[in-house]
Amino acid sequence: MVEYNSAWFGLELFLIFTAFYLKRVKKNDVHFFLISAVVYVVYMFFRFKLNNLSNDYLISDIFYFFKFLFTSYLFCLILKEKALYYLVKVVSHLALVSLVFYSIQLYGNGVIVKAIGTAFESITVDDESFRYTNFIFFTFDDIHYYRNSGFCWEPGAFGSFLTLALLFNFLINDFKLNKEALIITLAILTTVSTTAYLGVFLLFFLRYRVLNNGSNIVIVIFAVVFAIAIPNVPFLGEKIVEIYDQDIQDLKELEQLSVYYEDVKRQIPLNRFASVIFLYEQFDWKLFLGVSNQYDQFYIDEYNVNISNGIMDFITKFGLVGLVVLLYRFGKLCKVYLKKTEYVFYAILILLTLSFGEPILMLPISVIFLFLPTFKNQDFSLLSSKYQKYLEFQRANN
């Protein structure tokens, strides 16, 4: 569905109808959206002229606004104060579903779930892959036969979505280990994702700081445990070092790899560190304002590479300026729940850790951070009486 603009616009028409039908739209909401749209368009036109690009790049940036940004805005407009609450509910439910299918996947190296996925694709869209199958709520890949990909395209991405949902759950529930937290945490463990594990470690450290205000001794213990774990846990220290060494080697042999991957009709899979170095070498100072949403067209003919660093991907799309704006808005949202700047810093560090691996910053689950801080400041008049009392109680306690 992502490939079809008609699917996006059909969803947006449905959301617009829903927003008006439920009387969620206020005059201030329209003003806020128009101001946001003007700022975005001016920014895109300015760097379009600065980078001297063809019209295709500007059109791609405008389409990104109407597909990702507008959809995210409508989501926030309809749910407002309840946005994080429902995100946690949906992700926790899908995490539970993933655990069921993951348990089936472990039997016979995924033969059963692959058969289900293949049967499903026969009546929807067949990606013609011999190792990858998907049936909306669950994904299976032969390469990751022992890892849980859930509803995402691979385990690392699923782990990032889950960790963000766990952070949201902690924020709106005073960091309680409730049922949703336990389900999501268990699902994260099944992803065996380095970035997700590091993000969860930081998240539980944040939880400790918030609930106990943290003594210096315990902070030192956390640091020592973390320092010992990195070189001794295989999927942390060894994996990171191996990835870095392999990335440097791949960059040195990029021309040879390009010939090979062209023959097999695949993209060169640049890993985390190689992606950063490659994009910096390609665009240098242009990364300050970004290049374009379809920046890969600059080098695709010469090097058909696949970028796998979400931070660098976002910077190349929207610039260091865009990243700072997104992180600022995310921090402002977290500040509603976390009263200390130190805690907000940890939350931002968690987001950066997760996005170092997967390109989640440009997806709606992150783009909503641009809009949610504004809606968090609105009154409770459109909320259910039950949820309104809950929020008033929360604020009273804070």
Side-chain angles (χ1 to χ4, degrees), residues 110-370:
V111 173
I112 297 176
V113 291
K114 187 172 184 179
I116 296 173
T118 302
F120 181 84
E121 288 177 349
S122 67
I123 58 175
T124 55
V125 178
D126 186 0
D127 64 2
E128 300 180 353
S129 172
F130 292 104
R131 66 178 181 84
Y132 174 94
T133 56
N134 170 272
F135 45 100
I136 300 182
F137 301 114
F138 193 75
T139 300
F140 174 72
D141 190 337
D142 285 343
I143 295 177
H144 305 302
Y145 66 91
Y146 63 95
R147 301 171 64 189
N148 187 357
S149 296
F151 56 81
C152 291
W153 57 93
E154 68 105 31
F158 187 44
S160 297
F161 273 71
L162 291 171
T163 306
L164 277 179
L166 184 59
L167 171 62
F168 299 154
N169 181 60
F170 280 158
L171 290 179
I172 65 178
N173 291 294
D174 296 327
F175 286 84
K176 293 183 176 67
L177 283 174
N178 55 12
K179 179 179 64 176
E180 288 79 12
L182 295 176
I183 292 172
I184 294 172
T185 302
L186 179 58
I188 291 172
L189 293 176
T190 63
T191 65
V192 196
S193 167
T194 304
T195 51
Y197 282 14
L198 290 174
V200 168
F201 179 88
L202 291 172
L203 180 52
F204 274 90
F205 176 73
L206 169 62
R207 179 177 182 270
Y208 169 78
R209 290 287 291 156
V210 171
L211 296 182
N212 299 284
N213 214 17
S215 67
N216 292 333
I217 295 178
V218 176
I219 294 174
V220 171
I221 293 175
F222 263 100
V224 170
V225 171
F226 189 63
I228 294 175
I230 287 183
N232 290 285
V233 178
F235 56 82
L236 290 178
E238 290 182 15
K239 182 179 177 181
I240 293 172
V241 173
E242 287 176 5
I243 288 174
Y244 179 80
D245 291 340
Q246 185 61 53
D247 283 1
I248 299 302
Q249 187 65 30
D250 288 346
L251 288 174
K252 292 178 181 179
E253 301 174 354
L254 204 54
E255 292 186 5
Q256 297 92 315
L257 288 172
S258 183
V259 174
Y260 167 77
Y261 279 96
E262 184 177 351
D263 290 340
V264 298
K265 297 181 180 180
R266 289 177 53 199
Q267 289 184 311
I268 304 172
L270 289 186
N271 224 311
R272 314 304 189 224
F273 302 101
S275 295
V276 174
I277 298 171
F278 177 81
L279 290 178
Y280 178 76
E281 291 177 344
Q282 292 292 316
F283 300 112
D284 198 7
W285 62 269
K286 291 182 179 179
L287 295 176
F288 182 71
L289 292 179
V291 182
S292 170
N293 183 54
Q294 59 174 27
Y295 64 83
D296 56 341
Q297 297 301 318
F298 275 84
Y299 54 74
I300 205 73
D301 293 332
E302 184 176 0
Y303 301 114
N304 188 20
V305 302
N306 182 280
I307 302 299
S308 63
N309 186 299
I311 296 176
M312 204 62 180
D313 172 73
F314 191 85
I315 289 176
T316 312
K317 280 182 166 74
F318 305 107
L320 184 61
V321 173
L323 178 64
V324 170
V325 170
L326 180 65
L327 294 179
Y328 169 76
R329 296 291 288 178
F330 174 68
K332 191 172 183 180
L333 173 65
C334 294
K335 187 71 173 178
V336 175
Y337 305 95
L338 305 171
K339 301 307 178 184
K340 290 188 177 181
T341 304
E342 175 198 352
Y343 303 158
V344 175
F345 170 77
Y346 294 143
I348 293 174
L349 188 59
I350 291 168
L351 180 61
L352 288 174
T353 300
L354 297 176
S355 55
F356 186 78
E358 297 298 328
I360 63 170
L361 292 180
M362 51 83 66
L363 299 177
I365 196 170
S366 297
V367 176
I368 60 173
F369 301 144
L370 294 172

Side-chain angles (χ1 to χ4, degrees), residues 19-30:
F20 279 100
Y21 180 77
L22 298 177
K23 299 180 180 179
R24 295 291 196 264
V25 184
K26 296 182 179 180
K27 186 177 180 180
N28 290 339
D29 299 330
V30 177

